[in-house]
Amino acid sequence: MSVYFVFGGKKVVTIQSKELQNPLAEGVKRARLTSRPILVSKVLNINPIDPLSFFALGQAEYTGRRVYWSDPAGELVIAGLGAVCTIKTESEQRFAQAQSNWTELLQDHVRVGASAESEVAAGTGPLLLGGFSFDPLQQGSDLWQDFGDGRLMLPQLMVTQTQGNSWLTVNQLVNAGDEPKRIAEQLLLLIKTLFELPLPDLYGAGVYPVAAGSPQVVENEPEKWKEAVAHASREIRAGLLHKVVLARELQVSSELTLSPEIVLTRLREEQPMSYLFAVEIGAGCFLGATPERLVKSENNTLSAACLA
């Protein structure tokens, strides 16, 4: 069986049922040998699409299970929908716990690309997206309770745009008793249903009626903020500090629903030299734009760009 998918009126990719069924069958075979679930990842080269539009398509079916990331140059843009698995970690050991869980999940995993290039394309295949708390020892507010000290998701469907190419990664966990043909047909139907949804309007409803100084904008503990500024100024004058980065919290409310994809669209236009990110969990979404790159690892080389 062959199914082709249309996105925004343009043909994106044609997928043969066997392209999914064969790696799924290999995964089931390995699950029988190891007596545990096996991760299967299929990478497909697709015609270019906007990953942010793909992120927006998941608004209804995948709300609370969406992730987005892009770098300033647009060299690597990733949008993920769904969660084949979620790795949650706590305390100071959150990084080590995540590494251990991820290593275990990747044991005997199956990754199949459409070509040799898709086997090595950055940001494709099995990939964890999410984040970690800055300080696990500090008591967080209720706003962060769903995020925990660390939460990483393996998307079921992921669109990657890198070096002028676009890729679709399909991830699936299989067990020893699964039927590869049935799972392949379910995945094809899932993708077809998603791609046939009308493209959302990322611009038409992008202005929210919120003004500074209005009751819709509330500054959290303003006196505490002023005290922190005064204290930092004294420390700098005394030579005890050279530089300090302070932050304050504002709560903004609107009668309209705040749509992550529309906010990201505005950020992409107004801050083209920033990294954009969104991690949607449950009813909450942590999103933003930053010019800083904490760390990048590529070919055993680490690089950082800390600007504060």
Side-chain angles (χ1 to χ4, degrees), residues 3-305:
V3 179
Y4 70 90
F5 303 98
V6 175
F7 185 83
K10 298 181 180 179
K11 184 177 177 181
V12 175
V13 64
T14 298
I15 304 178
Q16 304 285 340
S17 179
K18 291 287 187 181
E19 290 184 79
L20 293 178
Q21 187 175 331
N22 289 343
L24 288 169
E26 177 60 27
V28 170
K29 178 182 177 181
R30 296 184 188 185
R32 290 171 181 162
L33 292 173
T34 60
S35 299
R36 56 181 172 78
I38 295 294
L39 173 62
V40 178
S41 298
K42 172 62 179 177
V43 182
L44 298 148
N45 192 197
I46 62 177
N47 291 327
I49 65 175
D50 181 8
L52 187 50
S53 293
F54 178 77
F55 175 88
L57 275 185
Q59 183 179 26
E61 191 68 28
Y62 293 97
T63 294
R65 297 175 296 148
R66 297 188 295 170
V67 286
Y68 180 84
W69 191 90
S70 66
D71 63 18
E75 294 179 352
L76 180 61
V77 187
I78 301 171
L81 302 180
V84 170
C85 75
T86 300
I87 295 178
K88 304 176 186 178
T89 61
E90 302 292 340
S91 76
E92 295 175 276
Q93 301 302 315
R94 60 200 189 285
F95 302 123
Q97 291 171 5
Q99 179 64 53
S100 176
N101 291 344
W102 184 231
T103 300
E104 182 179 354
L105 186 63
L106 289 181
Q107 285 186 17
D108 300 308
H109 79 285
V110 179
R111 171 175 173 154
V112 178
S115 62
E117 183 182 5
S118 63
E119 286 289 337
V120 297
T124 65
L127 191 69
L128 289 177
L129 299 171
F132 297 92
S133 63
F134 184 76
D135 183 1
L137 301 182
Q138 182 175 348
Q139 181 65 37
S141 70
D142 292 340
L143 294 173
W144 299 97
Q145 63 181 4
D146 290 337
F147 291 81
D149 292 331
R151 189 180 179 109
L152 301 168
M153 295 182 290
L154 173 66
Q156 183 174 42
L157 303 176
M158 186 175 71
V159 165
T160 304
Q161 181 179 289
T162 177
Q163 298 180 345
N165 294 313
S166 291
W167 311 91
L168 172 66
T169 298
V170 183
N171 292 309
Q172 182 69 37
L173 279 175
V174 297
N175 295 286
D178 287 340
E179 299 177 13
K181 182 178 180 181
R182 180 178 60 83
I183 297 177
E185 292 173 350
Q186 290 175 342
L187 288 172
L188 286 174
L189 179 60
L190 181 72
I191 301 170
K192 180 176 177 63
T193 302
L194 177 67
F195 275 57
E196 287 180 347
L197 292 173
L199 281 177
D201 182 5
L202 298 178
Y203 300 91
V207 179
Y208 298 107
V210 176
S214 72
Q216 295 167 299
V217 181
V218 178
E219 186 171 354
N220 187 38
E221 299 182 313
E223 294 305 318
K224 187 176 180 181
W225 162 253
K226 294 176 184 177
E227 292 173 5
V229 173
H231 178 71
S233 298
R234 289 193 299 268
E235 297 282 278
I236 290 174
R237 285 194 296 269
L240 300 175
L241 288 176
H242 175 66
K243 180 193 294 186
V244 60
V245 179
L246 302 178
R248 57 178 171 168
E249 180 182 310
L250 297 176
Q251 292 184 351
V252 182
S253 60
S254 172
E255 294 180 357
L256 300 177
T257 300
L258 298 175
S259 169
E261 49 267 28
I262 292 178
V263 176
L264 286 170
T265 300
R266 281 304 180 93
L267 289 174
R268 184 169 64 176
E269 292 179 343
E270 297 178 7
Q271 299 191 44
M273 298 310 295
S274 291
Y275 293 85
L276 303 184
F277 61 89
V279 180
E280 193 178 52
I281 299 174
C285 183
F286 175 44
L287 63 80
T290 174
E292 293 185 296
R293 178 181 63 215
L294 179 61
V295 65
K296 177 182 179 180
S297 173
E298 186 176 23
N299 297 327
N300 295 323
T301 300
L302 297 178
S303 54

